[in-house]
Amino acid sequence: MEYAGRAACAACHPAEKARFEGSDHDLAMQEASAANALGDFGGREVADGGERATFSRRGERLVVRTPGSDGAAADYEVRWLFGVDPLQQLLLPLDRGRLQALQLAWDARPATAGGQRWLHLRPDERARPGDALHWTGRLFTWNGRCADCHSTGVRRGYDPAARTYATTFAELDVSCEACHGPGAEHVAWARARGAGTAAQGGPAGGGAADPRLAVRFPRGGRFELAPGAAIATRVPARRDTAELDACGPCHARRGVLADPAPPGRPFEDDYRLALLEEGLYFADGQIHDEVFELGSFLQSPMARAGVACSDCHEPHAGALRAEGNALCTTCHRAEVFDASTHHFHEPGSAGAQCTACHMPERVSMRMDRRHDHSFPVPRPDLAARLGTPEPCTGCHPGRDAAWAAEVVRARGGRRGGAWHFAEALTAGRRYADGAEALLVRAAGDADVPPIARATALVLLAGFPSAEGARIVERALADPDALVRRAAVGWLAVAPPAPRAALAAPLLRDPVRGVRLEAARVLADAPPAALGARTPELERALEEYRAAQRAAADAPESWLNLGLLAAARGDLAAAERDFAAALELAPEHGGAAVNLADVHRAQGRDEDAERVLRAALARSPDDPGLHHALGLALVRLGRAADALPELERAASLAPDEPRYAYVLGVALHDGGDPERGIGVLRAAAARFPAHRELAAAVQALALPPGPP
C-alpha cells in the first residue's frame, strides 16, 4: 500500500482539511524555523535540572549549545520542532542517524499560567552525560521512542548490526493517512468515479464505501436519550472497534510488535497494551504514570456502552465537540447529572464541573495535565482504606479521605462500601490476607472491565492453586484478547502437562498478541507434550521472534529473545542475545541478571560475578542486581561477601517479598538463625499471603525433631 499525501486527500475533502490545519496533530512535527519556533532563541542561556544550554539563531537556523554524550559543550542545529501544546521540544541530530529530544523544552502556556520559559522536563533525575535518561540517551531517541506517533507512515529503518537508523516517513506530521491508512489506491478509485462523488461522503463515508482503504470507520449510529432515561443509548449498538484500533496505537502505553504496523488490524495484533501495573496505574485503575488514554478508557462504562473517541472529540480538529458540562449532557440528562443533587456543589462552580470528579488530572512533564479517561466514580471510602486517589480533598485542603467518605455517605452516595476490583489488585500487589480469593473474584467477575480482569490474572500467578487454574481455564476462552493473553501467561506457572494441553489451542488464536504469549509459555514444551501441534508452536515462535526484531533497537527485545533461547535450551544464543541487550543498555539490570544466569548454567560463576558488578557500576541502586550478585557469591562459596548484597537488595526493595525470603534463609543458614528468623517473621507479617515466607517461618522457627 502506498501513501498519497495530504494534498491528494484535500482535493476531495476541503472541509476536513480546513478543520485539521493548526490542530495538535497537524503541529505534532514541524520544520525548525523561526516562524514555527515558540521558544526564545535570542541567545538565551538556561540552567535547569542539572543541564545547561544556550538557545540562539544563526540566520534561519536554530542552534542549541549544550553538553553532549561526552560531557563537552557543542553546537547542535535543531532538526525538527516537536509538539506545540502545552510544550514544544527540540529534536537534535546525533551520530548513527539518531535524533534526540532535548529535555530542556519550551513551556508554551501563557506567562500568567507559569509558562513562556525554558525548563527541564524531568529535573529530579539529574541525569549525567552517557546515562539513558540524559537527552543523548536511548530513552529520548526519537527514531524508536517518538517517531511513529508524531509522523505518518514511519519506518524505523534500524540496522541492528551497525546500530544505525535510516528512519523515513511519508509525511512529517500526523496527517490523514496516519488514521485512514495509505490512500493511493483510494485516490485512484475516487478519481475514476469523479472527485465530486468522493467528496460527498467525507472521509468516513469514503472509507465505508471503498474497500481499498485499509481503515474503514463505519457510518451511522447515534446516541438517543429516551423519554425518562437518565443516560443515552447508542442506536444501533456499536459492534466495531475501528476507532479504538486507529487511535489506540498513539494514545496508549504499549509495546510494538510490528514495524511498520499494517493499518486496519486489531490493536493487539501489532501492539501489547500495558495492563494496570503498579507504578503505571493505581489499584483502582486511575492513572499514575504517563499511560495516555486507551488503557484508562477501556475500563470505563462509556467504552462498554459503545462510546468511541469521535463521540467527544471532533477527529480532524481534535477539539471537544462541546465545552464544559455541555459535552457530557449530550448523553447524560442535565436535570439528573448537572444538578446540585448529583454533584453537591453550587451550579457553575469549579466543583460542579463533571471533569472535576470524573476526569481527575495527573501532571506529566511538570506542566502537562492529563485527564483520566476511565471516568471513575469518586470513591473516598476506597481512598481511606487503600490509599487510592480521590478528588474531594484536592479542593478541600485540610480534609482527608475519611471526611470525604462520610460526606458522600451522608448525602446518599450509592457506591460507598461496594465491591471494587481495587481491593483485589491491592491485596495481590501486597500479598495481603485473602489475596487469592479476591483475585479469583476479580478475574471471574463479568462486571469487572476486561483490562482489570487481565491484571488480576497476572497477579494470580503469584498464588497458584486449583481454584486459580479453574478461573484461568475459563478465561482462555474469553471474548476479550487482553483476558486471553493474561490467562495464557498464567500458565507459565502450571506444570508442563496441563500447560501444554491448555495453552496449545491458543497458538491458533485469531489475535496475534495472544498467539505470541502462547508461544512464549510453550517455548520449553517437549514435542511429545504437543504432538501434532508442534508445527503450530514453531510457526508461533517465528512470529514471536519477528515481533521482537520489529523493535530491535530496544534492549527489552533482545532480552525477550534471550529468554526464548534459554527456554529452548540454546545457551549460546541466549548469551549472545543478552549481551546484545547490554550493548544497547549497559545499565539494564534484567539483561545482566539473565546473562549472569546463563554463565551460572555454564559453570562460569566468576563471569557471572563480573557481569553483575559491571552492571552495578552503572546502576548501583538496582535491587535485582544486588540480589543476583549475592546469589552468585553464595555459589562461589563467599557467603560473607554475599550477605551485604542480599541485605542491600532487601533494603532497596522493601515491597519485594522474595528478597526478604532469600535474605532470611541466608542469615539463618549462615550462622545467625535468630536474625534470619526475625527477618522472615517481619516479612511474613507484611506479606501474610506469601506462601514461601509462611512456610519458611514455620519450618525454621520449629526446634529440630528427634534424630
Side-chain angles (χ1 to χ4, degrees):
M1 292 186 288
E2 295 183 2
Y3 289 87
R6 186 190 311 176
C9 304
C12 291
H13 303 283
E16 287 77 15
K17 173 181 178 289
R19 288 196 294 270
F20 171 79
E21 288 180 339
S23 68
D24 284 357
H25 282 166
D26 184 26
L27 304 178
M29 285 264 288
Q30 297 182 79
E31 299 280 353
S33 69
N36 293 334
L38 302 179
D40 180 357
F41 281 86
R44 182 79 171 271
E45 295 184 15
V46 177
D48 190 20
E51 291 193 20
R52 304 183 66 86
T54 301
F55 300 87
S56 58
R57 267 196 207 100
R58 296 179 186 172
E60 284 300 306
R61 297 164 54 217
L62 305 178
V63 178
V64 180
R65 183 168 184 79
T66 191
S69 56
D70 59 358
D75 289 341
Y76 299 91
E77 182 176 352
V78 180
R79 181 69 55 84
W80 307 107
L81 300 171
F82 195 56
V84 66
D85 179 36
L87 58 93
Q88 188 176 72
Q89 288 185 259
L90 314 177
L91 295 181
L92 309 183
L94 287 185
D95 60 335
R96 307 197 310 275
R98 291 180 295 157
L99 286 172
Q100 300 290 132
L102 188 69
Q103 291 305 285
L104 287 166
W106 182 256
D107 183 344
R109 298 174 301 166
T112 53
Q116 300 301 297
R117 57 176 178 154
W118 294 104
L119 82 171
H120 198 286
L121 299 179
R122 294 168 178 82
D124 296 336
E125 289 165 354
R126 298 280 166 172
R128 298 168 299 177
D131 290 348
L133 288 168
H134 189 257
W135 76 268
T136 59
R138 65 181 179 86
L139 294 179
F140 301 116
T141 299
W142 165 86
N143 313 66
R145 305 285 295 193
C146 320
D148 55 351
C149 286
H150 280 255
S151 297
T152 301
V154 173
R155 289 182 178 270
R156 194 171 302 196
Y158 181 70
D159 181 346
R163 292 172 59 189
T164 58
Y165 290 97
T167 305
T168 62
F169 46 75
E171 289 202 71
L172 178 61
D173 57 13
V174 181
S175 198
C176 314
E177 291 160 292
C179 303
H180 294 279
E185 291 186 18
H186 171 71
V187 169
W189 168 84
R191 287 173 176 164
R193 296 183 61 190
T197 303
Q200 291 173 6
D210 177 21
R212 292 164 185 79
L213 271 181
V215 182
R216 289 173 296 205
F217 302 112
R219 289 183 292 182
R222 63 189 182 278
F223 283 89
E224 294 183 354
L225 195 55
I231 301 176
T233 302
R234 193 178 194 277
V235 181
R238 189 188 295 276
R239 304 297 182 193
D240 70 278
T241 61
E243 284 195 33
L244 297 186
D245 292 334
C247 303
C250 291
H251 291 270
R253 184 76 170 248
R254 69 346 179 232
V256 173
L257 303 178
D259 176 37
R265 301 206 306 189
F267 180 92
E268 282 280 314
D269 264 356
D270 300 311
Y271 303 94
R272 184 181 174 91
L273 182 67
L275 301 181
L276 307 185
E277 302 165 18
E278 188 167 17
L280 299 183
Y281 295 87
F282 291 100
D284 64 348
Q286 291 189 67
I287 58 176
H288 189 184
D289 198 9
E290 188 176 21
V291 292
F292 308 100
E293 292 81 26
L294 182 63
S296 297
F297 184 68
L298 291 177
Q299 303 171 52
S300 71
M302 267 77 132
R304 294 194 289 278
V307 175
C309 314
S310 65
D311 290 316
C312 298
H313 300 269
E314 199 288 319
H316 299 98
L320 292 172
R321 292 194 178 274
E323 292 300 321
N325 290 358
L327 178 62
C328 305
T329 55
T330 57
C331 287
H332 297 260
R333 192 175 294 279
E335 306 94 275
V336 176
F337 295 101
D338 196 8
S340 296
T341 51
H342 175 74
H343 52 60
F344 308 153
H345 290 81
E346 184 70 24
S349 67
Q353 299 304 301
C354 304
T355 55
C357 293
H358 298 293
M359 295 190 76
E361 295 176 328
R362 294 282 290 181
V363 176
S364 176
M365 296 186 290
R366 292 183 73 175
M367 94 292 282
D368 190 3
R369 295 186 172 276
R370 304 286 178 89
H371 280 290
D372 193 316
H373 279 65
S374 66
F375 302 97
V377 173
R379 288 290 302 272
D381 61 313
L382 286 180
R385 289 191 290 112
L386 306 179
T388 51
E390 51 79 27
C392 306
T393 52
C395 294
H396 295 274
R399 305 288 191 170
D400 61 15
W403 165 83
E406 177 56 27
V407 170
V408 171
R409 187 201 63 77
R411 297 195 180 192
R414 293 176 296 160
R415 301 199 184 186
W419 156 256
H420 193 285
F421 65 77
E423 298 178 45
L425 300 194
T426 299
R429 291 173 175 182
R430 299 290 175 261
Y431 288 88
D433 271 330
E436 180 186 351
L438 289 167
L439 290 169
V440 165
R441 178 178 178 180
D445 188 342
D447 290 331
V448 170
I451 190 172
R453 287 194 284 129
T455 307
L457 286 167
V458 170
L459 291 171
L460 197 56
F463 309 87
S465 68
E467 180 62 22
R470 284 191 289 271
I471 288 291
V472 166
E473 190 167 357
R474 291 202 295 271
L476 291 169
D478 196 274
D480 192 277
L482 290 177
V483 176
R484 296 199 304 279
R485 189 233 291 175
V488 174
W490 184 95
L491 293 175
V493 302
R499 183 198 322 162
L502 292 170
L506 279 300
L507 293 169
R508 293 180 295 159
D509 194 275
V511 176
R512 193 161 70 114
V514 180
R515 296 196 300 273
L516 300 187
E517 188 70 354
R520 183 189 69 82
V521 165
L522 292 172
D524 61 349
L530 291 171
R533 284 203 162 107
T534 299
E536 293 176 7
L537 173 60
E538 294 304 323
R539 285 194 294 272
L541 285 172
E542 190 48 47
E543 276 194 298
Y544 184 91
R545 295 185 185 99
Q548 305 311 316
R549 290 193 290 266
D553 54 345
E556 292 77 15
S557 295
W558 294 99
L559 174 63
N560 290 338
L561 288 170
L563 291 169
L564 177 62
R568 303 286 282 172
D570 189 346
L571 294 184
E575 180 178 356
R576 181 183 65 243
D577 292 337
F578 293 143
L582 285 172
E583 286 179 12
L584 290 172
E587 78 288 348
H588 200 290
V593 167
N594 281 281
L595 179 56
D597 199 50
V598 167
H599 290 332
R600 176 199 59 77
Q602 296 167 330
R604 298 161 54 191
D605 284 315
E606 293 84 359
D607 287 337
E609 180 185 1
R610 174 185 54 76
V611 166
L612 294 169
R613 290 196 183 280
L616 276 169
R618 288 183 170 270
S619 303
D621 293 330
D622 186 323
L625 289 171
H626 285 285
H627 181 73
L629 179 57
L631 294 178
L633 293 172
V634 168
R635 290 191 295 269
L636 287 166
R638 292 157 55 190
D641 294 335
L643 278 175
E645 300 298 334
L646 298 176
E647 289 176 330
R648 181 67 173 150
S651 66
L652 285 169
D655 291 331
E656 176 47 67
R658 175 69 182 169
Y659 296 161
Y661 168 79
V662 171
L663 173 61
V665 172
L667 287 166
H668 182 278
D669 294 350
D672 195 347
E674 183 176 350
R675 186 175 169 220
I677 291 172
V679 168
L680 291 169
R681 279 180 171 155
R686 292 189 62 219
F687 309 107
H690 193 276
R691 293 173 184 173
E692 286 182 298
L693 281 168
V697 169
Q698 184 177 18
L700 298 180
L702 291 174

